[in-house]
Amino acid sequence: MGGVTAASALVATSHPLQRAGAWAAAVMAGRSQPADLTADDLDAVASRLVDDVCVAATAPKDKPAYDWWKVLFALYPNSKATHSKRPSDRDVLRPDIENLFAADAPQALRNPCTFCGTGAGAVWAKSNLPLFDTSKALNTLPPGARGWPVCRGCRIAMWALPYGSWVTAGSATVLSCEKDAAEREFARRNVQRARRVMHAGFSGLAAGARAELVAVTALRDAAASELCATTLWTFKNDNQEPWLRVTRTRRAVSVFLATVDGNASLRRGWNVLRRALTRYDAEGRVTAGGAGEAARLLFEAEDGRSRSLLLQLHYLLWETDDSWNLGDRDALTRLAYIYAEEVYGMTTDLEPVAVVLAEWIARGSSPRGRLAEYKNAALSDYKLGQLLIQASVRLQMDATGTPVAGPEYWAPLIGRRPRAWEQRMLLFARVLVLLQQRGVAVGAKVADPEQEREIEAELDRPPFDENQDQDFEASDYSMGPA
């Protein structure tokens, strides 16, 4: 399968699928980056692809290796490796797979590669390229072309793609990031996971694990305290209904991760959130890992159909009936404030207004009645404005000595300003913390000593750790040092 030609170079382009495959090939070859790959490295990676494809394509359905065939089918549904009439004999199938990655003859390099512009002799369509048109869609192709020209390096990259992706039996997720180190780390972790799928099947992986957690772990390791945007491209390419879903983090999320990592109270808040989001079935088995679900909240869907971290924290802190002990509520509230400040750039000088409301509620003849009144008005700009007037007047009439925050403090909450709704959410969370500190019976849940010990033990662990939801084997499955 060797041969040194101009097409042997591998360039990581801006195309997210090709780029993910290029990083996977670099990891598999033990190179720091795709540009370091040599012709011999490409031969070695291609040889591994051929071996793995042939094993998966001829595996019995009850064997773990068949799960890797499901991955291939989701990406290349009409290829030689996944076609329903493919040979069941590995030796018969092998020449067809080897031909996919064979070096082009120099005289065949007539067209520029669709991805990198290198001379290409092979022409591929949807049978071998995820999310590309079929050869029948001639109106989107050059006149008379049977497909897209693809050089050898990019052909290898497009089939190394599932190794560098977070894969399921029906979809794949790749990462694009402003930091190359984060892309490489994401690929490295997924190359390890791919080998585990081949050896143990999807049943050998932890339930409820998510691509977002691996992405966040990679981002934390590669871009601590630096502004860095990250995009996840999740897609399915089978013959039924191909789809693509794009989610992104804001550039300041990496700064938020570093801030949480370095603060014990914020780490506690993240761990409490993770526990709250963990889901179990009737037999006590984890069906949704809390760490992965929490990481998912850091990503915003391109179509707007996603829940933000701040909104999820609001849902948790909205409960007032014995939901949280003071330590947990305070930690979750601090986490919400830091996220709003770091990621949204919000100024959260809400303490004077929170004190007014807490004092007004605590000093009433029925604090729980006043709390219910506040809760009814908390998220409405008009109702909250009315309530603040009422609370301020009552405190002044009672001559409590409590400084009363005037209307100049209310403007971010009741005016038609950007992020006013988020400000009202944060205010409500802080008011409940102040009430619990004053001994008002709001969410006065007694801390569980055993859970407190577990939380304290977790404070020294990195809060964004994929192993919270997964159990990767310690061995490195790359072809060389990663």
Side-chain angles (χ1 to χ4, degrees):
M1 296 182 62
V4 179
T5 73
S8 293
L10 176 56
V11 178
T13 71
S14 59
H15 190 287
L17 305 190
Q18 189 274 354
R19 188 174 184 85
W23 278 112
V27 170
M28 293 161 72
R31 300 297 180 182
S32 297
Q33 55 187 345
D36 294 337
L37 285 163
T38 65
D40 288 341
D41 291 331
L42 286 180
D43 288 342
V45 173
S47 179
R48 175 170 168 181
L49 293 179
V50 170
D51 289 343
D52 290 345
V53 168
C54 289
V55 169
T58 58
K61 293 184 178 182
D62 59 348
K63 296 297 182 182
Y66 187 73
D67 280 359
W68 191 249
W69 180 86
K70 296 176 183 177
V71 172
L72 298 177
F73 182 76
L75 272 62
Y76 322 100
N78 299 310
S79 69
K80 298 287 188 180
T82 58
H83 198 280
S84 60
K85 296 183 179 180
R86 67 188 182 280
S88 58
D89 187 315
R90 194 177 306 175
D91 293 333
V92 175
L93 175 63
R94 189 177 187 88
D96 286 336
I97 306 303
E98 287 181 335
N99 188 56
L100 294 175
F101 314 116
D104 294 319
Q107 64 272 20
L109 306 178
R110 295 185 298 271
N111 299 307
C113 175
T114 300
F115 299 101
C116 68
T118 301
V123 177
W124 276 10
K126 183 182 178 180
S127 59
N128 295 319
L129 288 176
L131 294 182
F132 273 71
D133 292 325
T134 69
S135 57
K136 296 180 180 179
L138 298 180
N139 58 318
T140 64
L141 292 166
R146 294 176 292 107
W148 302 90
V150 188
C151 71
R152 187 197 185 205
C154 290
R155 280 184 274 135
I156 291 173
M158 290 302 283
W159 276 67
L161 166 65
Y163 294 81
S165 311
W166 177 268
V167 293
T168 70
S171 68
T173 300
V174 302
L175 176 144
S176 298
C177 186
E178 291 179 308
K179 295 292 182 181
D180 287 353
E183 292 183 329
R184 188 188 194 283
E185 182 64 11
F186 186 78
R188 184 188 70 80
R189 293 170 183 271
N190 287 324
V191 167
Q192 291 180 339
R193 184 173 180 269
R195 182 56 63 188
R196 183 163 188 174
V197 172
M198 293 176 201
H199 285 182
F202 285 111
S203 62
L205 303 177
R210 299 199 63 90
E212 289 86 353
L213 182 56
V214 179
V216 166
T217 304
L219 183 62
R220 179 207 63 191
D221 292 344
S225 300
E226 298 181 45
L227 294 175
C228 181
T230 300
T231 302
L232 289 178
W233 312 77
T234 302
F235 65 97
K236 173 184 176 183
N237 190 56
D238 66 12
N239 286 328
Q240 298 177 0
E241 294 184 7
W243 51 261
L244 171 68
R245 184 171 188 264
V246 182
T247 58
R248 298 184 175 93
T249 66
R250 294 175 183 256
R251 297 189 75 227
V253 162
S254 53
V255 179
F256 168 76
L257 300 179
T259 303
V260 174
D261 223 354
N263 184 284
S265 176
L266 297 177
R267 290 200 302 274
R268 173 177 180 147
W270 189 265
N271 286 327
V272 172
L273 173 65
R274 176 176 62 82
R275 289 172 178 272
L277 295 179
T278 302
R279 296 290 178 265
Y280 304 89
D281 62 17
E283 298 179 1
R285 293 172 299 199
V286 174
T287 57
E293 294 300 313
R296 184 185 188 185
L297 298 172
L298 300 173
F299 289 82
E300 300 178 16
E302 189 177 53
D303 60 6
R305 297 166 61 183
S306 58
R307 178 178 294 185
S308 71
L309 175 64
L310 198 59
L311 184 60
Q312 180 63 61
L313 289 171
H314 166 69
Y315 287 152
L316 294 176
L317 294 169
W318 183 253
E319 299 302 324
T320 58
D321 297 327
D322 296 334
S323 299
W324 303 104
N325 62 63
L326 177 58
D328 289 350
R329 184 180 292 279
D330 183 57
L332 289 171
T333 299
R334 290 175 184 269
L335 188 67
Y337 268 67
I338 290 298
Y339 186 81
E341 292 170 2
E342 296 284 8
V343 178
Y344 290 157
M346 292 171 55
T347 300
T348 53
D349 184 20
L350 303 176
E351 194 68 10
V353 181
V355 169
V356 168
L357 290 168
E359 286 291 327
W360 173 72
I361 293 170
R363 293 179 179 276
S365 58
S366 173
R368 294 190 68 83
R370 282 191 171 180
L371 174 60
E373 187 178 349
Y374 170 47
K375 191 172 183 179
N376 181 58
L379 300 183
S380 165
D381 54 352
Y382 177 73
K383 291 181 179 179
L384 180 60
Q386 287 186 314
L387 190 67
L388 286 170
I389 293 173
Q390 177 185 343
S392 298
V393 170
R394 173 52 59 187
L395 289 178
Q396 289 174 336
M397 291 178 61
D398 290 347
T400 61
T402 301
V404 177
E408 67 274 15
Y409 289 96
W410 308 349
L413 298 158
I414 64 175
R416 295 187 178 278
R417 298 186 179 185
R419 301 295 181 191
W421 195 75
E422 287 86 348
Q423 295 272 11
R424 293 193 290 272
M425 290 195 302
L426 294 173
L427 175 66
F428 182 83
R430 182 58 184 161
V431 168
L432 262 60
V433 170
L434 294 177
L435 289 174
Q436 284 190 253
Q437 289 176 347
R438 286 160 171 74
V440 177
V442 175
K445 181 179 180 180
V446 178
D448 180 349
E450 180 61 29
Q451 188 174 34
E452 284 291 309
R453 285 191 291 270
E454 291 179 7
I455 291 176
E456 289 294 327
E458 289 177 336
L459 293 184
D460 292 332
R461 291 182 57 190
F464 312 102
D465 180 3
E466 67 183 89
N467 293 313
Q468 290 174 327
D469 283 348
Q470 307 168 52
D471 182 23
F472 282 116
E473 294 178 352
S475 59
D476 185 356
Y477 296 118
S478 67
M479 293 166 55

